[in-house]
Amino acid sequence: FALQDDITVKVITALQVNVTVGDTARHVAKGTENLEAYLKTLEAIESHYTQTKEGYAQSKRLAEEVIALDPQFPQAYGVMAINHAMEAQQGFSKSREESLKQALEWTKKAIAMDDSNATFHATLAWLLSLGRQYDNALAECERAIELGPNSALAHIWMANVLRKVG
């Protein structure tokens, strides 16, 4: 069954590279051998993209399930981070400061597990810019672009940080 799951993950990833955003599929697949964790992560990302309070809550619940299934899967931590950040950004959290603090902690956990993920570094850059730590945010943007030169997110946050610093 383990071999079957491994083959399934590879087939799903290959199909998503052609059907959806390739970088997302490659990054989500990286870091787990657990098919259920992988599929739940895709579900969590889909819930996140609803950009609703309920969607973020559902996405966090799914990410928690993924962490229970595979605590070494960095994508789950990245999903937790972005949901906390977006809840703060959109005013859905009880405490903006606490949500941003949580987002920063989750992002740092994700980076500690996978320092090669451009999205994690771009997320950290965004969070640092919200805290007006512009030099550190620029450094993270540069790291994100170095890791993922075609990452739209990395370039978006670089532009936003540069705009903030004038």
Side-chain angles (χ1 to χ4, degrees):
F1 291 112
L3 177 61
Q4 203 172 16
D5 285 353
D6 185 47
I7 292 169
T8 303
V9 167
K10 287 179 177 156
V11 169
I12 289 170
T13 302
L15 289 174
Q16 287 185 339
V17 167
N18 292 326
V19 176
T20 65
V21 179
D23 280 342
T24 300
R26 279 189 296 278
H27 284 298
V28 173
K30 183 180 178 184
T32 191
E33 301 282 323
N34 186 317
L35 179 61
E36 188 177 354
Y38 172 75
L39 294 173
K40 278 190 184 288
T41 301
L42 292 177
E43 229 181 302
I45 291 168
E46 186 176 333
S47 292
H48 169 79
Y49 283 134
T50 65
Q51 297 184 351
T52 63
K53 185 176 183 175
E54 298 76 23
Y56 296 141
Q58 173 69 9
S59 183
K60 288 192 307 188
R61 279 191 298 277
L62 288 164
E64 287 170 354
E65 291 176 26
V66 172
I67 291 167
L69 289 167
D70 185 352
Q72 299 306 309
F73 187 26
Q75 285 298 326
Y77 297 91
V79 169
M80 289 295 284
I82 198 66
N83 281 295
H84 279 283
M86 290 305 294
E87 285 176 332
Q89 188 77 5
Q90 294 187 12
F92 295 151
S93 61
K94 292 177 184 170
S95 167
R96 182 177 194 272
E97 292 74 24
E98 183 59 29
S99 290
L100 290 175
K101 180 181 169 191
Q102 288 289 317
L104 190 58
E105 288 174 16
W106 288 112
T107 302
K108 287 180 178 180
K109 280 185 182 184
I111 289 172
M113 293 177 164
D114 182 5
D115 188 44
S116 68
N117 187 304
T119 300
F120 297 162
H121 286 279
T123 301
L124 181 55
W126 172 41
L127 294 168
L128 292 170
S129 75
L130 292 174
R132 293 186 166 89
Q133 297 179 42
Y134 299 122
D135 289 341
N136 293 335
L138 284 171
E140 286 300 324
C141 286
E142 289 169 359
R143 177 78 173 132
I145 290 170
E146 174 187 323
L147 291 169
N150 295 322
S151 168
L153 189 62
H155 288 281
I156 288 167
W157 283 114
M158 176 62 92
N160 278 307
V161 172
L162 289 172
R163 180 183 53 81
K164 287 181 178 187
V165 297

